[in-house]
Amino acid sequence: MLGLQAFFFYIFAFIAVGGALMVVLSRNPVHSVLFLILTFVASAGLFLLTGAEFLAMILIVVYVGAVAILFLFVVMMLDLDVGQLKQRAVQYAPFGAVIAVLLLAELIIAVSGGLADPAPMTMTTALPMAETGGLSNIEALGNVLYTRYILFFQLAGLILFVAMIGAIVLTLRHKENVRRQSIPDQVARNPATAIEIKKVESGRGI
Amino acid sequence: MVSDMLSSSLWIVGPELILAVGAMVLLMIGVFKGEKSAQLVTSLAVALLIIALLWLVFIAPQGVAFGGSILSDSFASFMKVLVLIGSAAAVVMSAGYAESERFNRFEFPVLIVLSTLGMMVMVSAGDLITLYLGLELQSLAIYVLAAINRDSVRSTEAGLKYFVLGALSSGMLLYGASMVYGFTGQIELTAIAASLAEGERSLGLIVGLVFVLAGLAFKISAVPFHMWTPDVYEGAPTPITALLAGAPKVAAMALIVRFAMEGFQPVAIDWQQVIVFISIASMAFGAFAAIGQKSIKRLMAYSSIGHMGYALVGLAAANVEGVRGVALYMAIYLATTLGTFAVILSMRREDGPVDQIEDLSGLSRTNPVMATFLTIMMLSLAGLPPLAGFFAKYFVFMAAVESGLFALAVIGVLASVVALYYYLRIVKLMWFDDQAKPFLPAPIELRVVLWVAGLFVFPVYLFVGGPVFAAASAAAQSFF
C-alpha cells in the first residue's frame, strides 16, 4: 500500500516540478500557461495523496477552472512581444542579481544562525487538528461552516455581493442604437404579423 | 444549544443585520425603479444608517457573539457611533453633488451602506478572520466608489491606484496574520493574548505582528504607507473623499487599537516602537508636505496623514489614558473633517466645482458665515484652544507624557506648530486677500452639516465635552 502511495507521490511530484520548470523555460507564453495548468493538476494529486481531498478539489476548481483559464485568455488576447520583454529583462538583470544575492545571504545567515543556536527559532506549535471521528474532511468542514463559522460564511457572501455590484457599476453601459434580441417579441410573432402579402401585377415587376 | 447561541449572537449584531438587509432592499428598489430612484434611495440610505445608529445606542446588547468572532463592548459602540455618523453625513452631502454632476446612480448610497457594514465589522472584530473580512468588505466597496465617476480619467485612476495598493496591503496583512496564527496556534485576539502572556514571544510572531501593523497602517494612510492618499483624495468624487477622510479612518484606527491592545498587550514593548516610528513620520510628513499644496483636497489628504500620526501618539502610550485619547481624537477629527468637506463641496461656481485654495480668497466678504465656520475648522485642526481640536491633541500628548514618551510628545507639539502655518494661510486668504468670484449658494444639506459640525467644534464642545470624555473613558476601559 505504502509502495503504491510512494509510486504515485513520485509521479505527481515529478510532473509538478517538471511542469513548473517548463512554465519558465518554454518560449511560447500559451504553452507556459498550459504547463501551469499541468502543475496545478499534479499538485492537486499530491493533496489527494495526503488526504486533503477538499483542498485538491478547490485547487482544480479555482486555480485550473478560473485563474489559469483567465491567464490563458489574457495571454491570447494581448499580443505579447517576447523579444522586447526579454530585452527589458536583461536590462533589469543586474538589479535582480543584487537582490537575489542579498536574499541568499540572508537565508544562509538565518539558517546557519538557527542551526547554531536553535533557541530563538522555537515556536509555540499550532494545536493539532481536532479528531474528526472518521469523517472525511469535506464533511468535517461542512459541520462547522454553517454553524460555528456562519458569520464568516455570510461576510464572504457580502463581499462577493459588493464585487458583483462593483463589476456592474463600473462596466455596464447601455449602448444606444444597438438592436437587442427580445425573446417575448419573437415568440409573440404569428403569420399575420410576420409576413406581408403583396399582390404583384404580372409584367410590371416590383 | 447552537440555536440559543445563534439567537443571542444575532441580537448583538442587530445594527449590522439592519444594514445588510437594508442594503439589499435598497438595491432592489433601485433596480426596479431605475435611474430616477437615486434621490429616493439616497434618503432611504440616510434613514437606514440613522435607524442602525439608534438601534445600536438604545437596543443592541453588548457582549461576545459567534463564539468570540464579534466583540461588542463600549469601545466598539463608541467607534461604531462615529462610523455611522461619518457615513450618514457623507451620504447626505452626496445628494446635491450627484444631482449637479449628473451621475445619478442609485448604487452610490447602497455601496456606502455596505462599506459602513464592513467598518462596523472591523470595529468589533474579535479574531483575525473577522478582521480581514470586515476590512475587505469596507475597502472593496470604497474602491468601486472612488472609481464610480467612470467617465473621468482622474476618478478611474484614483480607483485603480487605490485598488492595486490596497490589494498589496491586504497581502501583507494576510501574510502577517498567517505568521501570527502559525506561531500562536490561535486566531482569536483574546486567545492570542493569553498564549503570549504565558509563553515566550518568538521572532516569527514579531514578524507577523509587524506585517499586520503595516497592512493596517496602509488603511489609515500613515507614513510610510501613505503614497496613495493625495492622488485618491484628489481624483475621487468629492463626497467620496469626504467619506474616505472620515469613517474608514475611524474604523481602521479602532481596528489597530483593538488588534494591539486586545491581542498583543503582553508584547506591548514590541509594537510600541513601531507605532512611535509611524506616528512621528506621519506627523512630520503631514506638516511639511502640506505646505506647498494648491488643491484643498490634496491639502486635506496631507492634513489627514498628519492627524493619524497625532492619534497614534495615544496608542503608542499603550495605557488607558492613551486609548481614551485616541477615541476622543477620532471623534473630534471626524466632526472637523465633515465640516471642512461641507465647505469644500460648497465651492462651486456656474461652470462647475472648484478645488483650488486660491478660490477661497476673500470669502469673508462674499459669504461671511461659511468663512467663519471654515476658520473655526482650520484653527481646530491646527489645535488652538479653546476649540475642540486643542482638547483632542492635549489628551493624546498627556497620555504620551504619562507613559514616559517625552520625545514623542515634544515632536508632536513641534509638528503642530509647523502645521499651523498652512491652516493659517487659508484663514489669511479668506479674511485679508482680494475677493475672488463668489460661489453659488450652498444647498441646504451642506449648510446643515456645516452648522452642526461647526457648532460642535466651537462652542458646543465646551459644554458637551464632559459627556463625550466620559464615553471615551468608558470605551477605553474595555481593554483594561
Side-chain angles (χ1 to χ4, degrees):
Chain A
M1 187 61 209
L2 198 65
L4 197 62
Q5 212 174 3
F7 174 70
F8 276 107
F9 170 78
Y10 283 115
I11 287 188
F12 284 134
F14 272 111
I15 294 177
V17 174
L21 270 179
M22 288 307 291
V23 173
V24 189
L25 295 180
S26 82
R27 287 182 168 272
N28 188 333
V30 178
H31 292 176
S32 285
V33 177
L34 292 175
F35 276 114
L36 188 67
I37 294 176
L38 181 68
T39 312
F40 283 144
V41 173
S43 316
L46 287 175
F47 273 127
L48 211 54
L49 282 179
T50 56
E53 72 272 6
F54 181 70
L55 273 182
M57 293 308 133
I58 287 293
L59 199 66
I60 300 269
V61 171
V62 176
Y63 280 84
V64 179
V67 177
I69 298 302
L70 191 72
F71 279 180
L72 204 55
F73 267 113
V74 171
V75 167
M76 288 169 112
M77 303 262 259
L78 297 180
D79 190 17
L80 287 177
D81 185 352
V82 181
Q84 203 187 354
L85 282 180
K86 282 223 171 98
Q87 207 175 3
R88 212 176 297 163
V90 170
Q91 230 173 2
Y92 288 117
F95 186 62
V98 169
I99 291 184
V101 168
L102 277 180
L103 281 178
L104 188 68
E106 269 179 30
L107 202 66
I108 290 171
I109 292 169
V111 169
S112 61
L115 290 180
D117 175 23
M121 294 293 280
T122 50
M123 56 183 220
T124 331
T125 44
L127 300 174
M129 205 174 83
E131 199 53 54
T132 54
L135 295 175
S136 72
N137 55 42
I138 294 180
E139 281 174 296
L141 277 173
N143 277 339
V144 289
L145 187 57
Y146 306 106
T147 52
R148 167 67 182 83
Y149 297 118
I150 178 75
L151 177 74
F152 302 156
F153 186 72
Q154 294 293 334
L155 280 178
L158 278 172
I159 292 176
L160 290 178
F161 182 53
V162 170
M164 186 190 78
I165 300 176
I168 294 174
V169 169
L170 294 182
T171 58
L172 183 69
R173 281 173 198 270
H174 291 291
K175 282 187 191 147
E176 281 159 31
N177 307 323
V178 174
R179 287 161 164 259
R180 288 174 186 281
Q181 187 180 25
S182 165
I183 291 173
D185 286 356
Q186 290 177 343
V187 173
R189 269 160 81 95
N190 58 21
T193 58
I195 45 175
E196 197 181 341
I197 298 171
K198 290 228 166 149
K199 192 86 178 152
V200 181
E201 276 182 53
S202 54
R204 302 285 299 268
I206 299 173
Chain B
M1 200 212 80
V2 169
S3 68
D4 272 0
M5 193 196 94
L6 194 62
S7 71
S8 73
S9 297
L10 290 181
W11 274 104
I12 290 171
V13 297
E16 284 89 346
L17 280 181
I18 292 176
L19 289 189
V21 175
M24 292 175 208
V25 172
L26 290 186
L27 191 69
M28 285 303 122
I29 294 176
V31 169
F32 283 107
K33 297 197 77 169
E35 294 284 303
K36 59 186 178 296
S37 63
Q39 287 294 336
L40 173 70
V41 175
T42 305
S43 353
L44 287 177
V46 176
L48 191 68
L49 290 167
I50 291 173
I51 291 171
L53 180 65
L54 295 176
W55 189 282
L56 173 72
V57 175
F58 294 110
I59 299 177
Q62 293 191 342
V64 177
F66 296 106
S69 300
I70 291 278
L71 303 174
S72 189
D73 47 19
S74 346
F75 180 75
S77 302
F78 186 87
M79 289 301 195
K80 278 182 194 171
V81 168
L82 295 187
V83 162
L84 285 167
I85 293 174
S87 296
V91 180
V92 168
M93 291 197 286
S94 75
Y97 184 85
E99 208 172 342
S100 57
E101 293 296 296
R102 276 186 290 285
F103 69 98
N104 272 333
R105 306 207 53 137
F106 61 84
E107 292 97 341
F108 194 87
V110 174
L111 283 170
I112 295 184
V113 170
L114 284 168
S115 171
T116 312
L117 172 62
M119 295 174 212
M120 291 175 71
V121 172
M122 282 162 73
V123 168
S124 52
D127 64 30
L128 297 174
I129 301 180
T130 327
L131 180 156
Y132 177 69
L133 289 173
L135 200 67
E136 277 309 283
L137 183 56
Q138 179 263 119
S139 322
L140 200 59
I142 293 197
Y143 302 147
V144 177
L145 286 171
I148 199 163
N149 193 1
R150 60 189 184 185
D151 296 325
S152 141
V153 181
R154 307 287 290 281
S155 172
T156 318
E157 183 198 333
L160 197 63
K161 229 174 216 174
Y162 194 22
F163 173 69
V164 171
L165 290 173
L168 186 72
S169 82
S170 289
M172 288 200 281
L173 188 133
L174 278 178
Y175 179 63
S178 72
M179 297 285 273
V180 169
Y181 174 61
F183 281 86
T184 59
Q186 304 289 349
I187 56 166
E188 273 174 45
L189 293 178
T190 46
I192 290 173
S195 85
L196 286 178
E198 63 187 36
E200 195 181 334
R201 64 193 175 80
S202 56
L203 194 61
L205 183 90
I206 304 300
V207 173
L209 172 66
V210 171
F211 268 95
V212 175
L213 284 180
L216 293 177
F218 175 89
K219 298 291 171 193
I220 57 164
S221 69
V223 179
F225 306 100
H226 61 279
M227 290 79 121
W228 56 277
T229 324
D231 293 344
V232 173
Y233 273 42
E234 197 185 9
T238 315
I240 292 309
T241 315
L243 175 72
L244 260 176
K249 290 272 164 77
V250 174
M253 186 57 84
L255 189 56
I256 293 195
V257 170
R258 186 178 291 284
F259 179 78
M261 297 305 287
E262 190 98 57
F264 289 84
Q265 210 167 1
V267 292
I269 196 82
D270 287 309
W271 54 259
Q272 262 178 308
Q273 44 185 318
V274 178
I275 299 291
V276 167
F277 170 74
I278 53 181
S279 166
I280 291 176
S282 307
M283 289 188 295
F285 184 81
F288 285 103
I291 290 175
Q293 297 308 317
K294 293 199 168 59
S295 153
I296 190 153
K297 282 165 85 178
R298 282 186 90 85
L299 181 100
M300 285 307 288
Y302 287 107
S303 155
S304 87
I305 294 173
H307 282 284
M308 290 304 115
Y310 295 117
L312 285 174
V313 170
L315 178 60
N319 52 15
V320 66
E321 291 84 11
V323 177
R324 180 180 66 199
V326 176
L328 205 59
Y329 201 100
M330 293 320 289
I332 293 169
Y333 166 79
L334 181 73
T336 323
T337 305
L338 289 176
T340 312
F341 272 97
V343 174
I344 296 176
L345 278 161
S346 316
M347 290 168 60
R348 150 180 299 284
R349 301 210 175 101
E350 282 83 5
D351 45 354
V354 288
D355 67 347
Q356 296 299 305
I357 296 174
E358 298 290 316
D359 294 316
L360 284 168
S361 71
L363 187 68
S364 61
R365 266 147 288 170
T366 56
N367 194 340
V369 177
M370 201 199 272
T372 310
F373 276 126
L374 190 56
T375 307
I376 291 176
M377 298 300 167
M378 288 299 132
L379 297 183
S380 170
L381 283 174
L384 291 188
L387 304 162
F390 166 73
F391 298 101
K393 286 207 172 80
Y394 174 77
F395 285 113
V396 289
F397 289 150
M398 279 312 287
V401 168
E402 226 153 283
S403 72
L405 299 165
F406 298 107
L408 183 61
V410 170
I411 293 173
V413 173
L414 290 180
S416 42
V417 173
V418 176
L420 184 61
Y421 164 75
Y422 60 79
Y423 293 125
L424 280 181
R425 185 162 69 103
I426 295 178
V427 175
K428 176 216 156 219
L429 263 175
M430 286 191 299
W431 293 92
F432 302 109
D433 279 16
D434 294 339
Q435 194 175 326
K437 268 169 64 184
F439 299 130
L440 294 177
I444 181 77
E445 69 270 5
L446 291 180
R447 268 182 285 168
V448 170
V449 174
L450 183 61
W451 275 85
V452 172
L455 290 178
F456 175 80
V457 171
F458 184 80
V460 174
Y461 185 78
L462 293 177
F463 303 107
V464 303
V468 176
F469 185 76
S473 303
Q477 287 300 335
S478 306
F479 300 115
F480 295 92

